[in-house]
Amino acid sequence: MPDPTPTDTPPPAQGGPVKDGAGEIILWHVPLSRSMRILWLLNELDLPFALRVMDLRGKDMRAAEYAAIHPVGRAPALQIDGSVIHESGAMVEYLCETRGPHLWRAPGEEGRLGWLDWLHFAETIGQHIANLTQSHLMLRDPATRSQTVMKLETARLARTLRLVEQTVESQDWLMASGFSGVDCAVGWSVWTAGRFVRLTPALQAYADRCTARPAFRRALPQEGEPQLYERDFYELPDA
C-alpha cells in the first residue's frame, strides 16, 4: 500500500491549547450542542480527556486560538492521535473503531450496514434541530424569523423521527444486539428534538433510556457552564 498523502488524514493538531498536550484527547465542546454526542461517548468509553468548554453566544468560537483548531468556528472539534477531527459523525466512528470496538460494527461484521446508516441518519435529524435552534434562539428579533420555515422545519423534524420510532418500538436500542456508538449520535438527536416536537411514547421511552445512562448524565452541563437552551420546550410562534 502506498504511504498516506497529507490529504489522507485530518490536519495535524496546532494552535495554542493543543501544543501543551499534543498526545492527549481534547474535546472542544458547547454544552447541550451536538458536541454533547462526543462527550457522552467519551464517558461511555471511560477515556481520559481534556475538556474545553465554550460559549456559543460569547467570543470563544471566534477567537484566533480556536480558529487555528477549527477554521469554521464550530463545535465540536476533537484532538486525537495528533490530529484534529471536525465532524461529530467521524468522531463517533473513529472513537468506536480505535477505542471501543464493542460499540462499533467493523467492516464485514453483522450489523455494519445498519450501524453506518444510523450514524449518518443522526445528521438528517440534526440539520432540522440546527435550523430550529437558529430560528428560536439566535434570531431574537421576531421580525427576522420566518414562521413558514419554522413550521416546515418542525414538521420535517417530526417526520425524520418516524424511522427511529419504528425501530425502538420493538427493541431498546438502535442495534438489535444492544447499545452502541450510534445511540450516542441518534439518542442525543432524539432527546434534543424533544425541545421542538412532542415525542411519541416510544421515542420518549428511548430518550429516557439514554438519559438514564451514567455516561449521559456526566455529559450534561455542569454548574456554571453556559446553557445553549433556556427552555425545555419551544412552541411555534402564532401565525
Side-chain angles (χ1 to χ4, degrees):
M1 244 181 115
D3 291 335
T5 66
T7 56
D8 287 334
T9 58
Q14 56 181 320
V18 182
K19 286 182 180 178
D20 294 335
E24 68 179 320
I25 298 174
I26 302 176
L27 175 65
W28 286 266
H29 167 60
V30 172
L32 296 181
S33 76
R34 70 183 65 196
S35 62
M36 185 177 166
R37 300 168 171 173
I38 310 308
L39 182 54
W40 177 10
L41 179 57
L42 288 168
N43 285 324
E44 290 282 356
L45 296 171
D46 200 24
L47 294 173
F49 63 93
L51 189 65
R52 305 282 192 262
V53 176
M54 300 185 296
D55 186 350
L56 188 63
R57 297 183 179 85
K59 299 179 180 179
D60 300 347
M61 301 176 73
R62 299 191 298 275
E65 282 188 345
Y66 191 59
I69 295 155
H70 201 317
V72 182
R74 295 183 179 179
L78 181 72
Q79 175 194 306
I80 188 168
D81 296 338
S83 291
V84 175
I85 309 177
H86 304 94
E87 283 294 327
S88 59
M91 295 173 198
V92 170
E93 186 164 7
Y94 189 75
L95 283 168
C96 290
E97 177 183 347
T98 61
R99 269 75 171 179
H102 60 294
L103 300 181
W104 188 46
R105 299 297 181 272
E109 188 176 322
E110 184 178 356
R112 166 70 173 181
L113 182 58
W115 195 92
L116 281 177
D117 193 35
W118 282 123
L119 177 65
H120 294 283
F121 190 72
E123 284 306 306
T124 298
I125 308 173
Q127 68 174 334
H128 301 304
I129 292 173
N131 290 338
L132 287 167
T133 298
Q134 177 167 289
S135 293
H136 282 281
L137 278 71
M138 305 306 169
L139 302 180
R140 294 188 177 274
D141 181 356
T144 62
R145 301 171 182 166
S146 167
Q147 293 182 358
T148 300
V149 169
M150 293 173 76
K151 288 179 179 179
L152 283 172
E153 285 298 311
T154 301
R156 288 166 177 162
L157 176 58
R159 187 172 184 179
T160 64
L161 295 173
R162 293 178 191 170
L163 183 60
V164 183
E165 181 181 15
Q166 290 171 7
T167 300
V168 298
E169 278 179 331
S170 58
Q171 59 193 46
D172 285 349
W173 304 107
L174 297 175
M175 304 300 294
S177 52
F179 181 86
S180 73
V182 293
D183 288 297
C184 293
V186 176
W188 172 88
S189 298
V190 172
W191 178 69
T192 305
R195 295 183 186 272
F196 302 108
V197 298
R198 302 296 182 186
L199 298 181
T200 65
L203 287 170
Q204 187 61 61
Y206 173 64
D208 290 345
R209 288 192 290 275
C210 291
T211 60
R213 296 184 71 85
F216 181 97
R217 294 199 297 272
R218 293 201 302 273
L220 290 168
Q222 302 299 303
E223 186 176 353
E225 291 183 352
Q227 295 275 353
L228 176 59
Y229 297 105
E230 299 165 348
R231 307 179 202 166
D232 293 332
F233 191 79
Y234 290 83
E235 298 280 357
L236 277 171
D238 293 334

